[in-house]
Amino acid sequence: MTRKSRRLVLIAACGAVLALAVGLILSAMSGSIVFFRSPTEVANQGVAPGTRFRLGGLVKEGSLQRGTDQKIDFAVTDTNATVQVTYKGLLPDLFREGQGVVTEGVLEPGGLFRADTVLAKHDESYMPREVADALKAQGRWQEGSGKDAGKSATANDKALGPRSER
């Protein structure tokens, strides 16, 4: 075997090992990947019961019902469609009607979303991109409604001073 052919065999073997490692990593991660969907996507795409995903939108006004033993029922909407959600546990402090929320869980056969995690938005400017796009299309959500609305990036940079002082 010549030197050139040994080198090619070594490179091919390394490539095969690398491809096998990437394949194993991707197959291991496939069980933990969770997709984000809006209520309109859930309604239009007909998500199969038992599918695990993240549901995001706004907590519908008047839908919050607290039950016994930390059971909470509410609806998540993007103003086009609404999905009923049930959750058992403590809600985040910022959770309230009319605010953004991301829930993670499983869709039940009757269309009820059983959440095991509820995340409330942390400030007035956070909104998942998909939900923000859906709300912008309906004119319900304005970008830059946070405390720095109206300030440009250069105005914020001037207020902070030169980079060397930060």
Side-chain angles (χ1 to χ4, degrees):
M1 191 178 256
T2 66
R3 199 172 182 186
K4 186 176 180 180
S5 62
R6 271 188 274 152
R7 192 177 313 145
L8 287 175
V9 168
L10 180 63
I11 290 172
C14 289
V17 168
L18 182 64
L20 179 66
V22 168
L24 289 173
I25 290 170
L26 290 176
S27 69
M29 288 177 54
S30 68
S32 64
I33 295 174
V34 180
F35 296 103
F36 179 91
R37 295 199 167 108
S38 69
T40 300
E41 290 174 340
V42 172
N44 292 344
Q45 295 176 356
V47 178
T51 303
R52 181 169 189 78
F53 62 95
R54 286 186 178 165
L55 173 69
L58 299 172
V59 179
K60 187 174 181 180
E61 296 284 342
S63 69
L64 184 62
Q65 297 176 352
R66 296 182 187 271
T68 60
D69 199 27
Q70 295 181 342
K71 185 176 182 248
I72 297 108
D73 294 321
F74 58 95
V76 175
T77 184
D78 61 1
T79 68
N80 277 339
T82 302
V83 175
Q84 285 298 121
V85 178
T86 185
Y87 174 70
K88 185 174 181 179
L90 297 174
L91 290 171
D93 291 337
L94 297 176
F95 181 89
R96 62 182 169 269
E97 293 178 348
Q99 293 292 318
V101 67
V102 176
T103 61
E104 185 175 332
V106 178
L107 190 65
E108 302 262 322
L112 179 70
F113 187 79
R114 184 166 308 282
D116 51 39
T117 305
V118 174
L119 306 169
K121 70 180 204 169
H122 65 282
D123 69 7
E124 63 276 355
S125 63
Y126 169 75
M127 181 66 65
R129 187 184 73 221
E130 293 86 352
V131 175
D133 291 344
L135 293 175
K136 283 178 193 176
Q138 300 163 13
R140 259 271 348 240
W141 186 73
Q142 292 97 23
E143 191 170 1
S145 62
K147 61 184 173 189
D148 289 332
K151 286 187 183 178
S152 66
T154 55
N156 286 336
D157 287 343
K158 287 177 188 173
L160 294 173
R163 289 196 183 273
S164 60
E165 293 177 10
R166 289 184 201 171

